[in-house]
Amino acid sequence: MTYEAVRPAEFPWFRYDGYTFSLGLARTLPDGRTEAVLSGHSASEYDPGAGRIVVKGGMKDQVRTAYAKIAAILGAVGLGFADVTRIVENFTAAGLADYVEAEAVRREVFGEHLPPASTVVVDALLRRDALVEIEVRAVTGGGGATPIADRILRVSPEGEVYVPTAPPLGPSGEKPVDQYRRCVETAADWLGKAGLGLGSVVAVRENISPDVLPGEVDEMRRMRRELLGPDGLPPASSTVVVAGLAGHAQVTLDVVASVHSPRAVFPDGWGHLRDMGWTPAIRAGGMLFLSGLDGRDPGTGEAAPADDVVAQAEAAYQAVRTVLAAEGLGPEALCETVEYVTAAGLPAYRGVAGVRERMLRDGTGRDPVWPASTGLVCAELPRPGAQFLVLPTAVAG
């Protein structure tokens, strides 16, 4: 059940060859259904007059263009919007003010089919004028559905349970750690509607505002260990400092759970991380969810130079390969990568494409099937000096 790159016969926005990512990946499941995971798509398009890729229009126009691209990619493998199981909307801080416009277009596009939507706020997108970049996953028929108030949970064929972004549903003025607990309570309530508990959580992305203090981040980590994940171990995790969150929130959580029993993955030499309360990866069913990896070697603690985003990316992808190898997998198992780069690392970020070119090959000399990928610019990363972090997902079987 390996993924293949989706290659639409008509894709008028730009030539998609030559990149180290795919527009999207698709595979045929044993029951004949088609499953797809798409890269993040913005309103970028090639302008012949300018001789370069540009982004045009305000929020409403940009969202419509992004969904037109998504429709073309899904349509190339016989899927449509009624088959979407998850949406991730990556808004810039500047674009968040026009969120209602994006929401209106989303409702117009999907109609009564309601995929769970995760909302991520970032400093910027790689295309300077882009306000939003949208990722989707889909499967024939749209997967299993569980209504939760005005939202919905959807279950993928691999048993992944996609949860909308969990906000801190409480009064304003609460401390970040109290907001974190409220986010967990919200996620627990929603998962409970599907007959699952917090022990089923396999991955969590923690979005925190810049004014959250380091000590408060440490408290959140302790809470993650206490409340989330299997067998007393935290789930695969990443923490990103974002430019702004809606309302009074200083923290939100994006949670993925699984109907399968989760199992923690520790490569040889990484066992000490168990005592530190950090889990490199969680395997559940046929999926492998990796924690966010930056320029530090988790085995030795050695960090790549603080001012070298390319070296950090190389160290991060070497760590990815180490985790995959612990499960008998190579880089060809990757189906998705989400890369975060800080503003400080952005000027040299173009060099990361060369790192992906080298590190994501399987050693056979064949051209790889590049994973679906999204690149985001964040305010900062929690570890001092970190300029790069990758959040990968792989197919384990």
Side-chain angles (χ1 to χ4, degrees), residues 131-152:
L131 299 172
V132 62
E133 186 164 321
I134 302 170
E135 309 164 48
V136 305
R137 286 177 174 254
V139 67
T140 306
T146 299
I148 49 169
D150 62 337
R151 297 173 173 85
I152 203 162

Side-chain angles (χ1 to χ4, degrees), residues 153 161 163 184-185 187-202 227-230 235 255-260 262:
L153 302 183
V161 181
V163 182
V184 171
E185 291 170 350
D189 178 57
W190 291 349
L191 287 170
K193 300 291 195 303
L196 298 171
L198 293 175
S200 68
V201 174
V202 293
L227 300 178
L228 297 174
V255 168
V256 179
S258 177
V259 301
H260 299 293

Side-chain angles (χ1 to χ4, degrees), residues 234-260:
S237 61
S238 62
T239 304
V240 179
V241 182
V242 298
L245 296 169
H248 63 271
Q250 291 182 292
V251 57
T252 63
L253 301 182
D254 288 301
V255 168
V256 179
S258 177
V259 301
H260 299 293

Side-chain angles (χ1 to χ4, degrees), residues 99-153:
Y99 173 81
V100 292
E101 292 185 16
E103 184 179 39
V105 175
R106 186 206 318 144
R107 292 185 179 277
E108 173 188 310
V109 165
F110 286 97
E112 295 184 1
H113 177 74
L114 297 174
S118 293
T119 303
V120 179
V121 184
V122 295
D123 266 31
L125 296 167
L126 298 182
R127 298 296 177 187
R128 184 180 58 186
D129 296 324
L131 299 172
V132 62
E133 186 164 321
I134 302 170
E135 309 164 48
V136 305
R137 286 177 174 254
V139 67
T140 306
T146 299
I148 49 169
D150 62 337
R151 297 173 173 85
I152 203 162
L153 302 183

